[in-house]
Amino acid sequence: MAEASKVTLSYNDGQNSVELPVLKGTLGPDVVDIRAFGKTGMFTHDPGFLSTSSCESKITFIDGDLGQLYYRGYPIEQLAEKSDYLEVCYLLLNGELPTKQQKEQFDYTVMRHNMLHDQIHNFFRGFRRDAHPMAVMVGVVGALSAFYHDSLDINDPRHREVAAFRLIAKVPTIAAQAYRYNKGLPLSYPKAGLSYAENFLYMMFSTPVAEYTVNPITARALDRIFTLHADHEQNASTSTVRLSGSSGANPFACIAAGIACLWGPSHGGANEAVLKMLDEIGDVSKVADFMQGVKDKRYKLMGFGHRVYKNMDPRAAIMRETCHEVLNELGLHDDPKFKLAMALEKIALEDPYFIERKLYPNVDFYSGIVLSAIGIPVSMFTPIFALARTVGWISHWSEMIADPTMKIGRPRQLYTGAPRRDYIDIEKRG
C-alpha cells in the first residue's frame, strides 16, 4: 500500500480545511484515508459501508464492473478449471500455490483432522430433530473451543495454523452430521481414501446397510462449488468474523459468528431462494407469464443479477458448464424442475429487458440447481455455503490477527434520538 496523493476537504466557511492522504492498492480504486478526519470533531457517515474500506487485505480482489474475481491474484476461472478446493484453501491461507509435496502434506493434515471429538456428538442430541442445520452448526462450531484448548492462543502462529486445519476439516463433518441428525440417520464418520468433496457426500448419503459409491462427476461439481464460494472479499459474514476477531475472541467463536451472519436470507440464502422460486412457478408452461410478471414488478426474480457484479458474475459461467455436466450425468435434463430452470435461463440470456439490466443468471442460480440435482435438500444449501466459506473466514481472521496495526472494531454513529432531558417521577408523567 502506497500513498498516491492527497485530497483537501474544505469547509463551507472558507477558512478551515483538512488534508487527507490517498492510498493506492495493487488493483482497484484509490482510497481516501480518513483516519485523521476524526480530529476535526466530525465523522463520516456511510450506512452499509458502501463507500468504505474497512481494512487492508492481500487475499481476494473483486472488480464488479469488469466481472473479475481473483484469489491471491489468480483468476477464479483458472482455479475452478485447473485446481481443487484444498489447493485453493492452501492458496488463501498461505498466499502462494503449493508445491506437489506441500499439497500432499496439506491434504493429509486436513483429512487427519476431520474426525470430531466423541463427546461433541452429545451436542447434536441436545437439539430438536427439526432444528435447522444452520442452528446446529452455529452451536457446534462455537462449542469446538471447549474441546480444543491447544489452539486458542491467537497470538501464537502455530495455534492459528492448527485452528485453521481443524475448522477446514471439521466443518464438513459437522454439516453432514447436522443433516443426518435432522433425518434420524445414524452418524457417519469420514472415510480414508476419499477426497474432501467425496468425503462430504459419503458422510451425507452413506448407510450402514449398503455400499455407497461416490459419483466422480457430482463430487467434482461439489468441489467446484466449494472453490467458487471459498472467499468473496469483505462481505457481511467476513466482516462479522473480522469484527468479532478484533476483540481477541477465539477462532471457533469467530467462525460461528460468521455462520450466524451467513444464515441471513440476504446473504447465504440466495441459492435456497432460487429453488423456492422454481417451486412457486411450478411448471415450465408458466415461465413466460412469470417473467412478464418480473418486468411488471409483480414477481421477484431470484438468482439473477448481483449486488457486486455489474457485469456477468465470473463464477456463473463456470457453474453453468458444471450444471449441464451434472444434469447430463444424472439424466435430469427432462426433469420438470430443471426444464423450468433452463427455460428461465434462456429468457434471461435472450430477452433485451434482462440483458439491458444485466440480470444474468448468477452463481446462486446454477449452484442451487446442481445441489438439488445431487440430492441435497434445500435446508442444507446454506450449510454447504458456510462449509466452503470457512477457509475464507479463517484466512481473513489470520491476516487480521497477524497485522501489528490491528485495533478492535468500533464504528461510530449519527445519533438522532432525544437530546438530554431530566428524569420525571412516574406520578408527574402525562
Side-chain angles (χ1 to χ4, degrees), residues 222-423:
L222 189 61
D223 187 270
R224 190 166 284 173
I225 287 174
F226 293 165
T227 294
L228 297 178
H229 289 84
D231 194 44
H232 210 236
E233 208 218 61
Q234 306 306 319
N235 52 75
S237 57
T238 300
S239 298
T240 298
V241 171
R242 279 183 173 267
L243 190 59
S244 301
S246 73
S247 73
N250 73 74
F252 304 108
C254 295
I255 300 307
I259 294 172
C261 181
L262 188 71
W263 194 2
S266 296
H267 190 7
N271 50 15
E272 186 174 336
V274 170
L275 268 292
K276 289 181 178 178
M277 176 187 71
L278 296 180
D279 289 337
E280 289 169 0
I281 297 172
D283 187 80
V284 69
S285 64
K286 300 178 181 178
V287 167
D289 178 68
F290 176 82
M291 294 300 260
Q292 184 59 47
V294 171
K295 296 178 183 179
D296 297 338
K297 306 294 190 293
R298 289 185 288 118
Y299 303 126
K300 190 171 183 179
L301 185 62
M302 308 304 297
F304 292 77
H306 196 282
R307 177 181 173 181
V308 173
Y309 298 108
K310 309 309 177 189
N311 208 315
M312 186 77 171
D313 182 342
R315 303 167 298 173
I318 304 162
M319 275 312 302
R320 183 178 190 272
E321 178 185 339
T322 302
C323 180
H324 287 285
E325 287 175 1
V326 170
L327 295 180
N328 287 333
E329 172 68 16
L330 301 179
L332 292 174
H333 264 294
D334 291 327
D335 179 272
K337 180 179 290 186
F338 301 123
K339 286 180 71 174
L340 191 161
M342 294 303 104
L344 284 175
E345 176 199 52
K346 187 174 190 297
I347 293 175
L349 294 177
E350 296 177 358
D351 190 313
Y353 176 91
F354 298 100
I355 294 172
E356 290 168 7
R357 290 163 176 77
K358 301 187 186 301
L359 292 175
Y360 304 109
N362 61 34
V363 69
D364 299 307
F365 178 77
Y366 294 114
S367 62
I369 295 170
V370 170
L371 293 174
S372 182
I374 291 173
I376 292 172
V378 171
S379 63
M380 283 298 296
F381 284 11
T382 312
I384 286 174
F385 192 163
L387 182 168
R389 184 56 57 84
T390 294
V391 68
W393 290 332
I394 200 69
S395 297
H396 282 276
W397 174 84
S398 296
E399 179 182 61
M400 179 189 67
I401 297 299
D403 183 354
T405 66
M406 182 193 79
K407 290 180 173 60
I408 185 171
R410 179 58 171 88
R412 303 304 297 253
Q413 66 172 13
L414 174 62
Y415 177 70
T416 55
R420 184 197 181 283
R421 49 187 173 173
D422 293 325
Y423 181 83

Side-chain angles (χ1 to χ4, degrees), residues 14-307:
Q15 300 178 8
N16 297 301
S17 65
V18 60
E19 196 173 69
L20 302 170
V22 177
L23 307 179
K24 181 179 288 293
T26 309
L27 297 169
D30 294 344
V31 175
V32 178
D33 185 345
I34 62 168
R35 282 174 288 188
F37 188 67
K39 298 176 182 177
T40 66
M42 293 190 294
F43 302 105
T44 57
H45 186 59
D46 183 20
F49 306 109
L50 301 183
S51 300
T52 300
S53 163
S54 63
C55 65
E56 178 187 345
S57 181
K58 295 178 171 64
I59 298 171
T60 299
F61 172 76
I62 296 172
D63 189 316
D65 293 330
L66 298 178
Q68 296 173 340
L69 171 60
Y70 300 160
Y71 292 170
R72 297 287 191 175
Y74 292 97
I76 190 62
E77 299 89 339
Q78 294 181 19
L79 294 172
E81 179 187 353
K82 301 176 181 180
S83 186
D84 63 45
Y85 179 67
L86 284 185
E87 184 172 62
V88 167
C89 288
Y90 184 99
L91 172 66
L92 290 173
L93 286 167
N94 298 289
E96 300 293 342
L97 289 169
T99 64
K100 183 178 179 180
Q101 183 179 1
Q102 288 171 331
K103 173 70 163 61
E104 290 174 352
Q105 182 60 48
F106 186 83
D107 288 6
Y108 170 78
T109 304
V110 169
M111 303 312 286
R112 188 169 59 85
H113 280 290
N114 58 13
M115 291 283 289
L116 298 177
H117 191 291
D118 191 60
Q119 284 184 290
I120 291 177
H121 296 303
N122 295 329
F123 279 83
F124 291 94
R125 299 184 184 96
F127 290 94
R128 287 172 53 109
R129 286 283 181 184
D130 60 356
H132 195 286
M134 285 294 281
V136 177
M137 288 188 67
V138 170
V140 177
V141 171
L144 293 178
S145 58
F147 291 87
Y148 301 107
H149 301 150
D150 59 344
S151 54
L152 297 182
D153 184 354
I154 65 171
N155 297 310
D156 186 329
R158 178 57 183 163
H159 278 224
R160 297 199 296 268
E161 182 182 42
V162 172
F165 278 123
R166 283 177 170 154
L167 282 160
I168 294 167
K170 296 181 191 303
V171 168
T173 309
I174 293 170
Q177 306 301 36
Y179 164 75
R180 296 180 74 89
Y181 180 76
N182 178 267
K183 295 297 181 183
L185 298 170
L187 300 182
S188 178
Y189 294 95
K191 185 177 181 181
L194 296 181
S195 71
Y196 191 85
E198 288 171 341
N199 236 317
F200 180 72
L201 289 170
Y202 177 83
M203 289 188 290
M204 283 277 291
F205 299 123
S206 64
T207 66
V209 297
E211 186 68 26
Y212 177 77
T213 303
V214 179
N215 185 316
I217 300 297
T218 59
R220 175 59 180 154
L222 189 61
D223 187 270
R224 190 166 284 173
I225 287 174
F226 293 165
T227 294
L228 297 178
H229 289 84
D231 194 44
H232 210 236
E233 208 218 61
Q234 306 306 319
N235 52 75
S237 57
T238 300
S239 298
T240 298
V241 171
R242 279 183 173 267
L243 190 59
S244 301
S246 73
S247 73
N250 73 74
F252 304 108
C254 295
I255 300 307
I259 294 172
C261 181
L262 188 71
W263 194 2
S266 296
H267 190 7
N271 50 15
E272 186 174 336
V274 170
L275 268 292
K276 289 181 178 178
M277 176 187 71
L278 296 180
D279 289 337
E280 289 169 0
I281 297 172
D283 187 80
V284 69
S285 64
K286 300 178 181 178
V287 167
D289 178 68
F290 176 82
M291 294 300 260
Q292 184 59 47
V294 171
K295 296 178 183 179
D296 297 338
K297 306 294 190 293
R298 289 185 288 118
Y299 303 126
K300 190 171 183 179
L301 185 62
M302 308 304 297
F304 292 77
H306 196 282
R307 177 181 173 181

